[in-house]
Amino acid sequence: MRWQDRIIVDGSDRDLWLAGRRQVIGASDAAKLAKASSVDKYLAAKLAPRTFTGNGYTEQGHRWEPMMLAFAGIPQNVALIHSPDQPGFACTPDGLRVEPDGRLRLAECKAKHGKVVTGPSVGEWRQLAWQFECIPEADFIEFLWVELVQNARGEWDLRAEHRGMPHRLVIPRDHPEIVAARAQILPIATDLLTRLRVALTYERRAA
C-alpha cells in the first residue's frame, strides 16, 4: 500500500486531525514510551480530555518551522499517515519530500528555547524512530532545530551563533539510536494500542 493511500486525514481540518490522532498511537505518544510498566499511565494520558491549545513556545515553533523546512528544501506536511503493517500506528512528520527515485525524505523541526543542543533528546529519538516505523518509504529524516534566546523586549530570536541558519542533522534509518529506540518502543506501543482500542470501544458504547 502506497503512503498516499495510508493517509488517515489530510490535516486541512484541525478537528478532524485531532479526532483521527486520538484513535492511533502517534509520534508524540511514542516519544513518551520509556517503560513497559507505565502503559496504564500512557493510556490515561492518551484518553484525558485535551484542553491545551498552545502557548508562546508552540507559537514560536510554528513561526520558525517554515524557515527550517525552506532551508532543507522539504515541503510542509500536515497529513496523518499510518503504518502499512499496523493502521493503529501513525505519524505526522513536519515535512515530507518525494525523491526522484520515489523514496521519501522526512523532516522534523524543533525550536529550542534557551538551550544549546547537539541533536535529538531521548524522547525525540523515539519520535524519529516512530516516523521510520510508520513510513518505511523514508530512508532519512532531516532533524532541524533553531536555538532561541530572549531579547530585551521579551521576544525570542535566533542565537547569534546561528548566523541566521538552523541546525541540521540528517538521520538515516539504520542509525544506532534509531534502531535502539525502535526496539524499546515497539512492544510498549503494541500493548498501548491494544488497551486503547478496548477503552475506545467501551467509550463509544457508553456514549
Side-chain angles (χ1 to χ4, degrees):
M1 183 185 297
R2 302 180 312 154
W3 68 269
Q4 296 94 329
D5 301 320
R6 305 198 310 271
I7 294 176
I8 299 172
V9 287
D10 64 12
S12 58
D13 184 308
R14 179 67 175 174
D15 289 337
L16 287 178
W17 184 90
L18 288 171
R21 175 68 177 69
R22 192 168 186 266
Q23 312 294 315
V24 301
I25 309 302
S28 60
D29 300 316
K32 303 178 182 70
L33 303 184
K35 297 180 180 179
S37 59
S38 298
V39 173
D40 287 341
K41 180 182 72 175
Y42 304 141
L43 178 62
K46 181 75 177 174
L47 295 173
R50 296 300 174 99
T51 57
F52 178 75
T53 57
N55 57 24
Y57 292 113
T58 54
E59 288 176 9
Q60 287 296 316
H62 295 317
R63 173 188 174 191
W64 293 103
E65 182 178 304
M67 180 270 281
M68 289 186 267
L69 291 173
F71 174 76
I74 299 178
Q76 184 183 37
N77 170 70
V78 292
L80 180 63
I81 305 167
H82 71 74
S83 161
D85 300 320
Q86 175 49 267
F89 294 165
C91 68
T92 302
D94 292 330
L96 184 155
R97 184 178 74 205
V98 181
E99 303 286 36
D101 63 359
R103 299 291 289 178
L104 302 182
R105 181 170 291 240
L106 308 181
E108 185 62 28
C109 303
K110 301 294 182 184
K112 303 291 185 177
H113 296 80
K115 296 179 181 178
V116 176
V117 302
T118 58
S121 66
V122 173
E124 288 164 351
W125 279 114
R126 296 184 196 121
Q127 186 177 12
L128 297 171
W130 194 250
Q131 292 180 2
F132 279 127
E133 175 67 24
C134 295
I135 307 180
E137 296 90 343
D139 294 316
F140 299 95
I141 298 175
E142 302 254 4
F143 185 77
L144 303 151
W145 75 96
V146 291
E147 293 165 1
L148 305 175
V149 292
Q150 209 163 18
N151 62 30
R153 298 185 301 276
E155 301 167 337
W156 291 96
D157 292 327
L158 279 174
R159 189 180 297 278
E161 290 82 357
H162 268 271
R163 302 181 187 277
M165 308 283 276
H167 289 289
R168 181 182 191 180
L169 187 63
V170 180
I171 299 174
R173 172 177 290 277
D174 61 356
H175 191 289
E177 293 283 358
I178 294 294
V179 174
R182 182 182 180 277
Q184 176 191 28
I185 63 178
L186 195 54
I188 305 174
T190 300
D191 186 11
L192 178 58
L193 178 61
T194 300
R195 300 188 194 203
L196 175 65
R197 285 173 168 167
V198 171
L200 291 175
T201 297
Y202 278 110
E203 187 179 84
R204 285 190 292 268
R205 289 175 179 173

